[in-house]
Amino acid sequence: MMDFIKYISVAFTALSLGFTGWLQYEKFRLDGEWHIDTCTIEADLKDYEGLHLAWRVFLSDDPLSAPVVGDGEKIEEAFQPIPSSGRYPVRLVGTKEINSVTLTGRFEGARRASTGRFEFHPTLSKRLFSGYIPFYQRNADVLDGSFAFTAGNARGPARAVRLTDGKMPEGVAAFACDTPERPEAEELPAVDLSQTPDTP
């Protein structure tokens, strides 16, 4: 009798976890407009280190069969808007797992195209106790991860945020891009910026 109860308990736990995972998967949709930020931490070219880039893309996510696909354009560099004439397109295609998103893209440029890859996962936030397992919930509107581009062999952190009516949702912290620290011997000399006008 005890063995029967143990088997029933194990089976019920497995079904509960499976059902929970399925519910979480169904909630994890990517359709919509997204803002993707990147910050280059490592690159073959030193000029790329600390460089911020951002894209606005529209993703389509069919949970039944088709892969995740998207189109967009580069809209920012060093946190400054790029003029429309310099906004080169990007095309993305990828896959979605229960807790991860992989997107591979072709990035057009002024002289040549390059390719790149994003690895994202939903952010996590604590869930109020309600008897629901697991005791956290995924924020599928904010994805954290990393990127790697063929251009300059650049790589570093990346973040994707789903936009609401073309705007960032409230409560999302600004994306930070910290320039990698350089050894003291490579530090540039101080420059007097007192006569330099502020950037608008």
Side-chain angles (χ1 to χ4, degrees):
M1 183 66 179
M2 294 301 295
D3 288 342
F4 176 75
I5 294 176
K6 181 175 67 175
Y7 292 142
I8 292 296
S9 177
V10 171
F12 178 78
T13 301
L15 287 174
S16 297
L17 291 175
F19 182 67
T20 297
W22 177 77
L23 286 177
Q24 290 289 317
Y25 179 81
E26 286 300 306
K27 291 179 181 179
F28 185 20
R29 296 296 304 276
L30 297 173
D31 295 289
E33 184 179 9
W34 292 79
H35 181 98
I36 300 177
D37 288 287
T38 63
C39 179
T40 299
I41 299 300
E42 299 179 9
D44 291 344
L45 301 177
K46 290 295 183 182
D47 289 344
Y48 284 3
E49 293 184 358
L51 177 64
H52 163 263
L53 297 174
W55 291 265
R56 181 163 295 179
V57 300
F58 292 84
L59 297 180
S60 177
D61 173 18
D62 184 345
L64 298 179
S65 58
V68 179
V69 295
D71 290 282
E73 61 183 8
K74 184 167 67 174
I75 61 170
E76 289 182 10
E77 182 171 328
F79 296 99
Q80 297 299 317
I82 297 175
S84 56
S85 59
R87 295 188 174 186
Y88 296 102
V90 58
R91 172 160 291 183
L92 301 171
V93 61
T95 58
K96 179 187 69 175
E97 303 296 337
I98 292 179
N99 284 308
S100 65
V101 179
T102 299
L103 297 173
T104 301
R106 176 181 172 84
F107 302 83
E108 301 296 338
R111 290 176 294 179
R112 64 179 67 87
S114 61
T115 59
R117 183 184 182 92
F118 298 104
E119 297 283 352
F120 290 120
H121 56 82
T123 55
L124 299 179
S125 59
K126 291 183 178 179
R127 183 194 302 277
L128 295 177
F129 179 77
S130 62
Y132 187 72
I133 301 175
F135 300 107
Y136 63 85
Q137 57 187 358
R138 295 183 303 176
N139 182 2
D141 294 330
V142 180
L143 310 177
D144 279 335
S146 60
F147 77 92
F149 294 158
T150 56
N153 196 26
R155 58 193 64 241
R159 185 183 72 174
V161 178
R162 194 196 309 263
L163 302 180
T164 302
D165 297 326
K167 299 179 181 179
M168 284 282 188
E170 294 183 2
V172 176
F175 182 80
C177 184
D178 298 325
T179 304
E181 295 184 1
R182 299 176 183 271
E184 292 185 2
E186 295 183 14
E187 287 185 356
L188 297 176
V191 178
D192 183 5
L193 300 178
S194 59
Q195 303 300 319
T196 303
D198 293 336
T199 301

